[in-house]
Every structure is written in structure tokens, then in C-alpha cells.
């Protein structure tokens, strides 16, 4: 397995709409394994292929505290949704930023598993929110898109400043 680079907002590659996975084979299973390793190392609870610059409809999730319940969803589709819930979300592609987003509280999702078998899953609470968040990535959408334009501009400036700081660039060098 290998750690993959996670793209960060506002990288334009995050806006790419993912194509369906045509066939679940060893390459797709290896990608899922690499994505799980990358997600755990980050650390996070969800990761979409788009975030690692692979534009296929694949996402991984593990909301368990001990990393014992990995979930791989290939070509996921929301079949039904109900209720609404609003809560703070974060994203590995938008580090250290948390904002309130409204999502469906309960969903039923249809997907393909690692073995290439179709299945349906009922999800609520954190799992439902996480699936919706990761599926947005497959459509080229980020949670910051739910925020006002003013908040997005503030976030871009904050992230740019943090990147410069992390690279050891002083404010005078940045000019």
C-alpha cells in the first residue's frame, strides 16, 4: 500500500467530475486500499478518489474509533433521503477548517463493493453525512460551496497564509 497526496482547496482538480468505475479489478481494489491508508494517516474518516487526483467514482469511509470498519463505495448513488441535520464539517482537502453544513439526516445508498457486488446501505447521522460529503467530491463539489462567497474568500486567504507559514515564507518574502 502507498500514501497518496491529498489535493487541497482551491486546487482546480478538485472540481473534476469523476467517471464511473467500469470494472472492479485489482487496480481498483489497490486504489481503495491506498485511499484507506492515506485517510487513516491524515487522519480522517472519509476520502474520495477525486481528492487524490483519481477521477473515478470511488470513496472510502471509516467512522469507527478504532479503524475497524472500513467501507468502500464504488459508483455510489443516493436512492432515498429524508430529514435534515446541520453540523460542522471538515475536510482533508480543506485542512483545519470547520463550518456548518446542512445535509439529509438519513439516506439509502446503492453502490458496488470491493468484490464487484451491488449492495444497498441505510445510513443515518455521521455515516449519512460522511457519505454525502464524499459523494459531493465525486461531483466536483466541496463543503465550502455551501458557504457564502464572502466566507469562501476568507477561507482561501486563511489557507494561503497557512501554506506560506508552513513553507517557512516570511510575510516580507511573500510580497
Amino acid at each position: 500500500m502507498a500514501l497518496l497526496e491529498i489535493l487541497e482547496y482551491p486546487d482546480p482538480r478538485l472540481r473534476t467530475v469523476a467517471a464511473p468505475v467500469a470494472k472492479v479489478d485489482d487496480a481498483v481494489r489497490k486504489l481503495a486500499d491506498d485511499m484507506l491508508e492515506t485517510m487513516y494517516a491524515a487522519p480522517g474518516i472519509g476520502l474520495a478518489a477525486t481528492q487524490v487526483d483519481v477521477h473515478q467514482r470511488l470513496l472510502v469511509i471509516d467512522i469507527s474509533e478504532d479503524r475497524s470498519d472500513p467501507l468502500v463505495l464504488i459508483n455510489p448513488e443516493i436512492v432515498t433521503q429524508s430529514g435534515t441535520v446541520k453540523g460542522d464539517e471538515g475536510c482533508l482537502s480543506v485542512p483545519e477548517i470547520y463550518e456548518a453544513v446542512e445535509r439529509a439526516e438519513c439516506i439509502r445508498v446503492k453502490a458496488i463493493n470491493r468484490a464487484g457486488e451491488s449492495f444497498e446501505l441505510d445510513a443515518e447521522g455521521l455515516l449519512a453525512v460522511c457519505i454525502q460529503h464524499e459523494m459531493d467530491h465525486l461531483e466536483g463539489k466541496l463543503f465550502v460551496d455551501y458557504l457564502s462567497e464572502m466566507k469562501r474568500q476568507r477561507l482561501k486567504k486563511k489557507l494561503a497564509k497557512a501554506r506560506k507559514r508552513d513553507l517557512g515564507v516570511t510575510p516580507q518574502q511573500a510580497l
Side-chain angles (χ1 to χ4, degrees):
M1 291 195 294
L3 289 179
L4 306 170
E5 178 186 356
I6 298 173
L7 302 176
E8 290 188 4
Y9 178 74
D11 191 310
R13 294 173 289 179
L14 289 167
R15 299 301 185 176
T16 304
V17 175
V21 173
K23 178 183 174 190
V24 179
D25 56 16
D26 287 342
V28 170
R29 285 186 281 277
K30 180 181 182 338
L31 174 60
D33 291 342
D34 290 347
M35 288 173 58
L36 282 165
E37 182 179 4
T38 301
M39 177 188 75
Y40 291 138
I45 60 170
L47 187 67
T50 301
Q51 292 177 270
V52 294
D53 202 21
V54 177
H55 305 288
Q56 295 183 16
R57 298 189 70 76
L58 168 67
L59 59 90
V60 297
I61 293 173
D62 190 342
I63 61 168
S64 68
E65 290 195 23
D66 61 356
R67 300 177 174 181
S68 64
D69 197 18
L71 180 61
V72 175
L73 299 174
I74 301 167
N75 297 337
E77 298 174 43
I78 294 177
V79 178
T80 61
Q81 60 185 35
S82 63
T84 58
V85 63
K86 189 171 187 170
D88 280 353
E89 289 187 24
C91 181
L92 296 176
S93 291
V94 190
E96 301 177 27
I97 303 295
Y98 298 89
E99 292 288 339
V101 176
E102 190 171 288
R103 302 273 187 189
E105 185 175 23
C106 301
I107 62 169
R108 170 171 277 195
V109 64
K110 178 181 176 183
I112 299 170
N113 66 17
R114 295 174 52 91
E117 302 162 337
S118 183
F119 72 98
E120 288 192 9
L121 171 72
D122 290 317
E124 60 183 48
L126 179 58
L127 181 57
V129 167
C130 193
I131 291 170
Q132 292 170 82
H133 176 109
E134 300 309 330
M135 285 183 67
D136 274 355
H137 280 296
L138 302 178
E139 297 299 326
K141 188 172 183 176
L142 289 96
F143 85 98
V144 296
D145 296 340
Y146 292 93
L147 307 177
S148 70
E149 179 62 29
M150 188 169 73
K151 270 193 172 183
R152 278 197 306 275
Q153 291 305 318
R154 247 188 319 209
L155 289 177
K156 281 182 184 179
K157 288 178 183 176
K158 184 176 181 179
L159 289 169
K161 189 174 180 180
R163 281 191 195 102
K164 288 177 185 174
R165 183 188 67 237
D166 292 345
L167 294 172
V169 177
T170 65
Q172 293 77 19
Q173 292 172 316
L175 298 175

